[in-house]
Amino acid sequence: MMRTNNIIIGCALLLLVTVIAGILPGCKLGTKDANKSGIVIGVSMLSLQSEFVVNVKDAMEEKAKEMHVELLITDAQRTAEKQVQQIETFISQKVDAIILNPCELEASSPAVDKARAAGIPIINVNSETKSEPDAFVGSNDETSGEIAMEYIAKAINQKGNIVIMDGYMGQAAQIKRAAGAARVLAKYPAIKVLAEQTAEWDRAKGMTLMENWIQSYGDKINAVFAHNDEMGLGALQALEQSKLKVKIVLVSIDAIADALQAVKDGRLNATIYQDAKGQGAGAVETAIKLVKKEPLAEKKVFIPFQLVTKENIENFIKK
Amino acid sequence: MNKSSSTYKKSLAQYQVFIAFALITIVLSIVTPGFFSVQNAVIVLRQISINGILAVGVTFVIIAGGIDLSLGSVIALTGVVAAMFAHPGEYALVVPLALAIITGIVIGVINGFTITRGKVAPFIVTLGMMTIARGCALVVSNGRPVSNLSKSFNYIGGGDFLNIPVPVIIFGFVIILAAVTLNYTKAGRYIYAVGGNENAALASGINVKAVKMFAYVICSALAGLAGIILASRITTGQPNAGVAYELDAIAAVVIGGTSLSGGVGSIAGTVLGALIIGVINNGLDLLNITSYYQQIIKGLIIVGAVLIDRKKK
Amino acid sequence: MDANVEFILQAVNISKSFPGVKALDGVSLNIEKGKVHAVMGENGAGKSTLMKVLIGMCAPDSGDLYFKSKKIVFNNVHDSLKNGFSMIHQELFPFLHLTIAQNIFMGNEPTTGFMGWINQKKMNRDAALLLKRLGLNIPVTRQMKECSIAEMQMVEIAKAISNNAEIIIMDEPTSAITGREVEILFKIIDELRKDGIAIIYISHKMDEILRISDTITVLRDGKFIITTDRSAITNDQLINLIVGRQLQTVFNKRKITPGDPALSVSCLSGRGFNNISFNLRKGEIIGIAGLMGSGRTEIVNAIFGLQKIFSGEMIIKGKRVRIKSPTDAIRSGIGLVSEDRKRFGLVLSSSVKHNIMLSGLKQCSNGVFLNRSKEELIVKRQIKTFEIKTRSGNQLVDLLSGGNQQKVVIAKVLLNDPDIVILDEPTRGIDIGAKAEIYKLIFRLAEEGKAIIMISSELPEILGMSDRIMVIRDGMVKAELGHAEATQELIMKHAMA
């Protein structure tokens, strides 16, 4: 018994040491030393498991280093409740400003309210909350849906059958992208939506859903709109496997690395570039301005979406 | 006491799953255009192969009286590991494959060791492993999908061999190997004994710890294989892939008549369970029924299957 | 049926069939107030089914129940409980983490009348009164898990009384308790009888039945055989009625000269026993007697590697062995038929075949793969040798009778051809016919030269079987008695002190 316990304790220690050894280099201890300005900004990100959010975070870190401010980055793991707790912790830590990448429109609002009540400037990045923050840096997701659907309408000569792959139902991005697409579709009565289903932002699920749609509708489909690139790339594989891609227009949103490559290779017709770098850097800049009580030109900074096709791909592939 | 109907009780359980499967298939064939075709059958088989392999693996653990909640995360971790070594022109194909499966085996050993030596409940150990493996997947991939994989690697999940998708062929081999192991080897027999009555197995001179360890290692190794197929199928190692896959796998096992209390179950049942889930997903998609209803229907079938099982007893 | 005021409960012409089996075939039972009515019969005679019908656990196909001359139908156990029926099951399932008082009043807690708060004080007071009435002196706030099985039984009886039970059914109440505790139980039964409570008493133990009962009903193969006054029947008559045939003397005389030493144990100590030494020869049967909890089971478990040995040594065939697990023990030629076959003997969810082969798979495998046709042959042979009554090897072992289950365990243990066979309570809970077969089997093993250790709580059994008897008390050997000198009184004297 004793021996077994010792082995387990040993294993646990070993694991702990490994984890610490792994984390330390990644901790960027330098950030603290470089914090000459003395400004500390608390950051709560939607999910560091999402590539786009990680890109925003990276851009923030880069900007923070450049401006000599310290960032405390936390991951809300897609739960609003956790996010509110993180903001509460920031408030008790008395950070100088908070950057919030909201999980949900309604449920993350208390986080904004609490920060404002505590007199700490709060900036929403990427998506919005019901409660109004001190500043917003991001893009209007509805525009991305509009750009994508306009592209499809043009590509299929304003008539034909399309299918739509939704993001996780009820999330702000899904609601807005769907709304943007619907607004455009209303203009083109000759475009018929054969089916609309969620594939939960997931590549494997997107692929499965597309396979089943191909089985149902086959070559009746003229175009596919996916709410994000992950699902779009899944759909792409299903289409390529059934040799239908040549006939079908496929557009998705986010311009992640894989999607850009696919556009470059002429496999994906278009993706919509959301400027992670611009959003991340913009959020940190705005935060510093608010801390220093400098005036803001705009309370809402919209970083524009851009359509990425084979024609302009070279501008994006380096970014 | 009813002493006469016992022999075919077991086979009857399997008949029932089969009948349920047949009924669902017939109904869907009637109401769904394009459902009943060889082409769609191939699609369904390809779609269930990953869940099927996981389910076969977790069948070992469940028959042995345990549970494994870490599968979804293991699939992500092994997928990422495989993808990292599968860039074109870097390593021979066996390297990513071997590394992914070895990663699976190591996780199985850790699970098994903590459960048997540390005497911690399997539910807790594998719940912990669920987040640990997910964390590891994110650490090694820096939270980003690992893409740009070699053609030969992508063939595993996306290719066809003699018009049969490769994952389906792999799934077939896994089924055969698993069924042979459970029915025709000592280890298989011991798994049933340990799950049925651990004390009696111990008193019969069976090395209970080794048997449990074997079950967990098989389960995680198969998760490693599934991870390879998933990464290859979506042509990326996704650190956040496979969330809640373990629940689908466990659902397939339960629908297939395996008892969560251990000691009873079969690979055939599990395969039928996976088929039922796959056919329903596919059929409801074809009917363009929203995923909300799909979830309700799947839930009803899981509970219904167990209800029928209880009624028999 | 005309009402006879004396009878509190009458079951008339009860029949009940299960697929393939007629469990009860026109059975009638008349229960008197304030009497102990024993129901006897071999396993499978229909006793359990009859009791299940009485307490509403299963509905009869035909026949009626009259309670105080009024016809009643019970749809479930709750119905019968409300009408004053209580059953003390053979296996108890108390709430281990609750106190005695909480267990007694489970589902029937005294409340303050205001918002349904539980009146803890009143509950404990009432519980203490009940226990006192039963002559029991244990604190009611003690947790159930700290109680002995006998005490748990008493708590069940207390619960029945608190429910104002008029009929208490006791199913094998003495199967898990020992001498002194049985005496206490019988005293309580006497008290209940005086209070006018009717008791239906089910047991296999002839001496108990003859001691405690007023009336005896015998069932055989689902059929009613006889109801008779206790005073009108003898032991031998009763056995004949139960088995339906003349039973030869159960314990055959045997002449065996013990051979070479098989097992020598010296100064063995472990949890629950201390400094145990004995020698066992080939062909010899050593009986271990002692009360439950005396450490006798712990000793054999330790020898078989199920429990840790702190110190001491074992010599088998002249060689010192270290046994750390059952695997080691089996390899050293030891076999154990455990006391609790459902916990340590059988995998109930598996077939007869799989159970028989559990520790002997190496006989039909090449190390990894099984040779299933060879396995089939071995299983057929074992089923035949041990006269296991089963439809086939593929039958679930759970569905066999207790005696046949025990034979499966023995067949499993003996498949490895051990030189030393340990049998811990080998005849517990099995009927007389099967008991005799098991005795015969044990004698045959001894004749074949196997060395045998047998533990039993039944003194006639241990006296009839053993060449030598070790009496264990407080984990130590208190006496070693030869076959000739041992008597029930002598054993009990050493066991209880």
Side-chain angles (χ1 to χ4, degrees):
Chain A
M1 208 52 216
M2 259 327 251
R3 229 187 68 219
T4 323
N5 279 344
N6 287 343
I7 293 172
I8 291 165
I9 291 167
C11 283
L13 280 179
L14 196 71
L15 195 67
L16 198 68
V17 169
T18 324
V19 169
I20 290 169
I23 290 170
L24 281 182
C27 264
K28 299 206 177 66
L29 289 172
T31 325
K32 220 162 207 165
D33 302 332
N35 185 8
K36 289 177 196 155
S37 66
I39 294 176
V40 179
I41 303 173
V43 182
S44 171
M45 300 302 285
L46 161 71
S47 163
L48 292 181
Q49 296 193 27
S50 148
E51 190 184 8
F52 177 80
V53 177
V54 173
N55 286 341
V56 173
K57 182 209 76 171
D58 286 354
M60 283 185 189
E61 282 178 333
E62 206 171 295
K63 194 75 190 173
K65 207 169 172 188
E66 182 192 320
M67 309 281 283
H68 304 296
V69 296
E70 187 188 348
L71 294 186
L72 305 173
I73 295 174
T74 57
D75 180 358
Q77 296 171 356
R78 292 189 195 278
T79 40
E81 190 221 348
K82 200 172 271 176
Q83 191 150 49
V84 174
Q85 284 171 11
Q86 287 167 351
I87 303 306
E88 284 167 352
T89 313
F90 287 147
I91 293 171
S92 67
Q93 284 175 311
K94 298 200 167 59
V95 297
D96 300 295
I98 294 169
I99 296 175
L100 177 71
N101 174 206
C103 295
E104 281 170 53
L105 190 68
E106 298 266 1
S108 296
S109 288
V112 175
D113 298 336
K114 286 192 173 169
R116 297 205 63 173
I120 297 176
I122 182 160
I123 299 98
N124 280 4
V125 65
N126 184 254
S127 37
E128 296 184 72
T129 53
K130 193 104 187 207
S131 300
E132 197 164 319
D134 294 283
F136 171 82
V137 180
S139 310
N140 186 352
D141 257 322
E142 285 189 30
T143 330
S144 66
E146 283 171 15
I147 296 172
M149 201 48 83
E150 283 289 0
Y151 176 87
I152 287 176
K154 211 170 116 193
I156 60 174
N157 291 324
Q158 304 180 3
K159 63 172 194 294
N161 299 316
I162 64 167
V163 289
I164 300 175
M165 244 176 230
D166 276 48
Y168 206 97
M169 302 302 276
Q171 284 185 352
Q174 176 268 329
I175 294 171
K176 294 204 160 177
R177 287 173 189 187
R183 193 174 306 146
V184 175
L185 279 172
K187 291 195 292 183
Y188 304 109
I191 298 179
K192 199 177 149 224
V193 180
L194 287 177
E196 181 164 358
Q197 285 261 12
T198 177
E200 299 173 0
W201 306 123
D202 185 90
R203 195 181 291 202
K205 287 194 176 127
M207 188 169 170
T208 301
L209 184 58
M210 195 68 228
E211 282 170 353
N212 292 340
W213 275 342
I214 292 168
Q215 188 59 27
S216 268
Y217 307 109
D219 48 13
K220 272 189 275 176
I221 302 170
N222 301 108
V224 180
F225 168 43
H227 278 187
N228 78 347
D229 284 336
E230 288 291 347
M231 299 188 290
L233 290 166
L236 175 63
Q237 267 167 276
L239 289 169
E240 285 179 340
Q241 247 161 24
S242 55
K243 318 249 182 303
L244 279 171
K245 180 59 198 75
V246 276
K247 289 187 252 171
I248 293 178
V249 177
L250 174 62
V251 178
S252 52
I253 300 175
D254 281 350
I256 63 170
D258 276 5
L260 290 174
Q261 189 60 43
V263 170
K264 191 179 178 204
D265 299 341
R267 297 161 64 216
L268 181 66
N269 297 67
T271 178
I272 316 296
Y273 178 75
Q274 184 170 197
D275 191 351
K277 208 167 174 180
Q279 291 186 6
V284 173
E285 275 173 6
T286 312
I288 293 170
K289 274 188 192 160
L290 283 172
V291 172
K292 294 184 176 162
K293 304 218 162 29
E294 292 170 19
L296 295 180
E298 292 262 6
K299 221 180 148 188
K300 284 192 173 185
V301 186
F302 284 105
I303 311 283
F305 280 102
Q306 293 167 54
L307 181 72
V308 185
T309 61
K310 202 163 183 184
E311 284 74 49
N312 63 357
I313 183 72
E314 294 306 328
N315 303 337
F316 296 92
I317 214 110
K318 277 169 247 142
K319 283 194 186 176
Chain B
M1 271 288 136
N2 174 5
K3 289 177 187 172
S4 54
S5 66
S6 56
T7 337
Y8 50 79
K9 215 165 197 174
K10 208 161 134 196
S11 49
L12 194 72
Q14 265 163 43
Y15 275 138
Q16 281 190 354
V17 190
F18 183 75
I19 290 167
F21 170 64
L23 276 179
I24 291 168
T25 310
I26 290 167
V27 170
L28 284 172
S29 302
I30 294 167
V31 300
T32 319
F35 176 82
F36 195 78
S37 66
V38 175
Q39 195 190 2
N40 194 44
V42 170
I43 288 176
V44 171
L45 284 176
R46 188 166 57 201
Q47 288 174 355
I48 68 157
S49 51
I50 289 173
N51 184 37
I53 290 171
L54 287 179
V56 166
V58 82
T59 304
F60 280 79
V61 168
I62 292 176
I63 292 179
I67 192 81
D68 193 338
L69 300 176
S70 64
L71 295 177
S73 302
V74 175
I75 228 186
L77 174 60
T78 54
V80 168
V81 167
M84 284 166 65
F85 293 89
H87 299 308
E90 282 187 5
Y91 298 95
L93 184 59
V94 299
V95 175
L97 305 193
L99 284 175
I101 288 174
I102 288 169
T103 307
I105 290 173
V106 168
I107 289 172
V109 168
I110 295 173
N111 278 342
F113 191 84
T114 321
I115 288 162
T116 56
R117 302 277 161 174
K119 298 191 171 66
V120 186
F123 186 95
I124 293 163
V125 171
T126 58
L127 187 67
M129 184 52 81
M130 177 166 119
T131 50
I132 292 171
R134 177 72 59 190
C136 291
L138 288 162
V139 167
V140 296
S141 66
N142 268 322
R144 288 195 177 79
V146 182
S147 47
N148 182 26
L149 310 182
S150 71
K151 269 220 169 66
S152 53
F153 183 80
N154 286 342
Y155 178 77
I156 298 167
D160 288 341
F161 182 76
L162 300 174
N163 281 330
I164 306 169
V166 178
V168 177
I169 296 172
I170 297 174
F171 184 30
F173 274 115
V174 168
I175 293 171
I176 293 168
L177 280 177
V180 167
T181 307
L182 273 185
N183 293 312
Y184 291 90
T185 68
K186 279 207 292 191
R189 190 65 66 76
Y190 290 164
I191 284 176
Y192 281 101
V194 167
N197 185 347
E198 192 174 329
N199 288 322
L202 189 73
S204 299
I206 295 172
N207 188 339
V208 171
K209 287 176 181 165
V211 171
K212 284 189 181 175
M213 182 71 102
F214 175 72
Y216 282 99
V217 167
I218 293 267
C219 180
S220 296
L222 284 178
L225 180 62
I228 294 169
I229 297 173
L230 181 67
S232 162
R233 189 161 142 79
I234 62 178
T235 66
T236 27
Q238 284 270 21
N240 51 5
V243 174
Y245 274 32
E246 61 279 343
L247 298 183
D248 262 355
I250 293 169
V253 175
V254 168
I255 291 173
T258 294
S259 157
L260 275 186
S261 43
V264 179
S266 70
I267 294 297
T270 295
V271 172
L272 281 169
L275 271 171
I276 288 178
I277 294 179
V279 161
I280 285 172
N281 276 343
N282 170 265
L284 297 183
D285 269 354
L286 295 192
L287 287 169
N288 197 21
I289 292 173
T290 55
S291 62
Y292 306 162
Y293 290 106
Q294 297 196 13
Q295 293 184 17
I296 295 172
I297 292 169
K298 205 156 85 184
L300 288 175
I301 286 177
I302 295 169
V303 179
V306 179
L307 262 183
I308 293 171
D309 221 39
R310 284 274 170 287
K311 268 270 154 59
K312 283 197 316 257
K313 287 163 190 161
Chain C
M1 158 111 356
D2 208 52
N4 187 337
V5 271
E6 270 187 277
F7 295 136
I8 184 168
L9 173 73
Q10 293 173 297
V12 183
N13 251 328
I14 305 282
S15 291
K16 174 78 191 172
S17 292
F18 296 111
V21 182
K22 191 137 200 186
L24 289 176
D25 189 1
V27 172
S28 296
L29 192 66
N30 295 322
I31 305 294
E32 268 176 276
K33 222 175 141 163
K35 290 280 169 70
V36 175
H37 193 135
V39 177
M40 302 197 72
E42 293 191 313
N43 282 349
K47 297 173 312 234
S48 314
T49 313
L50 181 60
M51 294 310 128
K52 280 180 184 165
V53 168
L54 291 187
I55 62 164
M57 253 172 95
C58 76
D61 299 337
S62 66
D64 297 312
L65 291 181
Y66 296 89
F67 181 58
K68 294 181 182 164
S69 307
K70 265 198 305 214
K71 190 175 167 185
I72 44 161
V73 176
F74 293 143
N75 292 319
N76 51 44
V77 180
H78 191 73
D79 279 359
S80 69
L81 209 63
K82 268 196 317 204
N83 277 292
F85 285 54
S86 270
M87 181 153 172
I88 318 291
H89 291 272
Q90 185 176 3
E91 280 168 73
L92 302 171
F93 300 101
F95 299 93
L96 287 175
H97 296 279
L98 299 183
T99 65
I100 290 178
Q102 283 166 335
N103 267 279
I104 291 177
F105 289 102
M106 177 55 64
N108 195 20
E109 292 86 351
T111 54
T112 55
F114 170 67
M115 285 175 63
W117 290 77
I118 291 174
N119 188 340
Q120 204 80 32
K121 262 194 204 141
K122 180 168 166 19
M123 189 165 88
N124 287 342
R125 210 169 46 225
D126 290 357
L129 277 175
L130 274 171
L131 291 189
K132 207 174 152 201
R133 186 172 150 198
L134 293 177
L136 223 63
N137 194 19
I138 38 176
V140 295
T141 48
R142 186 191 285 177
Q143 280 201 355
M144 208 61 169
K145 63 175 180 211
E146 286 159 19
C147 294
S148 69
I149 291 180
E151 285 166 341
M152 291 180 189
Q153 235 169 31
M154 303 303 163
V155 171
E156 280 292 316
I157 294 173
K159 185 172 178 176
I161 296 171
S162 85
N163 280 333
N164 297 317
E166 294 185 70
I167 297 176
I168 299 180
I169 301 170
M170 298 185 182
D171 187 5
E172 296 269 3
T174 58
S175 68
I177 63 177
T178 47
R180 195 170 26 178
E181 296 159 340
V182 172
E183 290 308 318
I184 297 173
L185 176 73
F186 282 3
K187 236 171 73 197
I188 290 174
I189 291 179
D190 254 345
E191 291 295 320
L192 297 174
R193 175 155 50 188
K194 276 183 206 147
D195 289 346
I197 293 173
I199 290 165
I200 303 177
Y201 191 96
I202 299 175
S203 175
H204 283 123
K205 295 181 185 163
M206 206 64 66
D207 49 339
E208 285 177 7
I209 296 270
L210 291 172
R211 234 187 93 187
I212 194 82
S213 62
D214 303 299
T215 318
I216 299 172
T217 293
V218 175
L219 303 181
R220 189 168 70 227
D221 299 329
K223 291 194 185 67
F224 174 82
I225 301 298
I226 194 175
T227 293
T228 166
D229 255 21
R230 151 71 187 100
S231 50
I233 197 162
T234 67
N235 189 1
D236 290 346
Q237 287 171 327
L238 202 50
I239 291 180
N240 288 343
L241 287 170
I242 289 169
V243 295
R245 65 190 127 92
Q246 211 75 24
L247 204 71
Q248 307 95 328
T249 4
V250 174
F251 305 108
N252 282 311
K253 292 259 182 292
R254 64 188 200 106
K255 279 183 246 107
I256 288 168
T257 31
D260 301 334
L263 170 71
S264 162
V265 172
S266 53
C267 304
L268 210 62
S269 296
R271 212 191 60 220
F273 60 93
N274 214 332
N275 209 8
I276 303 291
S277 303
F278 64 89
N279 289 301
L280 179 63
R281 292 169 170 277
K282 283 179 148 187
E284 190 181 27
I285 302 177
I286 287 191
I288 298 185
L291 300 181
M292 198 156 272
S294 60
R296 45 180 213 188
T297 293
E298 285 80 357
I299 295 170
V300 294
N301 281 354
I303 292 174
F304 192 65
L306 276 170
Q307 203 182 315
K308 212 168 168 179
I309 295 171
F310 294 159
S311 66
E313 64 175 41
M314 286 198 277
I315 294 169
I316 293 175
K317 285 190 204 153
K319 259 192 289 188
R320 211 187 138 191
V321 291
R322 297 201 53 179
I323 288 170
K324 286 192 250 158
S325 70
T327 319
D328 294 345
I330 290 170
R331 206 174 292 139
S332 308
I334 305 176
L336 172 74
V337 176
S338 145
E339 142 192 62
D340 188 341
R341 66 172 169 269
K342 292 200 171 174
R343 269 189 72 205
F344 288 100
L346 296 168
V347 180
L348 290 174
S349 55
S350 288
S351 63
V352 170
K353 171 164 72 183
H354 287 193
N355 273 287
I356 290 178
M357 297 306 296
L358 212 49
S359 48
L361 278 180
K362 63 174 183 291
Q363 293 184 24
C364 61
S365 85
N366 61 2
V368 179
F369 292 101
L370 303 175
N371 180 342
R372 297 235 291 201
S373 50
K374 195 168 170 195
E375 178 183 23
E376 209 65 51
L377 286 178
I378 296 174
V379 169
K380 281 218 176 92
R381 192 191 69 210
Q382 292 297 91
I383 289 177
K384 206 170 150 222
T385 316
F386 295 94
E387 295 171 6
I388 300 166
K389 290 187 197 78
T390 172
R391 280 174 74 249
S392 80
N394 293 324
Q395 176 141 351
L396 278 184
V397 79
D398 197 15
L399 298 165
L400 299 187
S401 68
N404 281 306
Q405 286 185 351
Q406 189 69 314
K407 288 186 210 160
V408 170
V409 177
I410 295 175
K412 173 186 83 173
V413 170
L414 292 180
L415 184 56
N416 284 322
D417 198 23
D419 302 318
I420 301 155
V421 182
I422 306 172
L423 302 122
D424 193 352
E425 295 277 13
T427 63
R428 168 184 290 178
I430 66 181
D431 56 54
I432 293 179
K435 271 185 187 176
E437 287 178 45
I438 285 178
Y439 297 145
K440 224 167 60 194
L441 179 69
I442 295 173
F443 281 135
R444 197 178 76 208
L445 293 174
E447 272 160 36
E448 284 168 12
K450 300 202 183 301
I452 291 169
I453 301 174
M454 185 179 122
I455 296 180
S456 176
S457 294
E458 289 182 40
L459 293 179
E461 179 173 296
I462 213 149
L463 286 168
M465 298 292 299
S466 321
D467 299 321
R468 266 190 299 149
I469 298 169
M470 286 198 294
V471 186
I472 308 290
R473 189 178 80 234
D474 300 331
M476 281 178 284
V477 181
K478 289 294 170 188
E480 210 176 312
L481 308 168
H483 182 71
E485 55 178 319
T487 62
Q488 298 208 19
E489 290 74 26
L490 200 55
I491 292 176
M492 282 322 278
K493 199 186 94 195
H494 288 294
M496 294 173 71

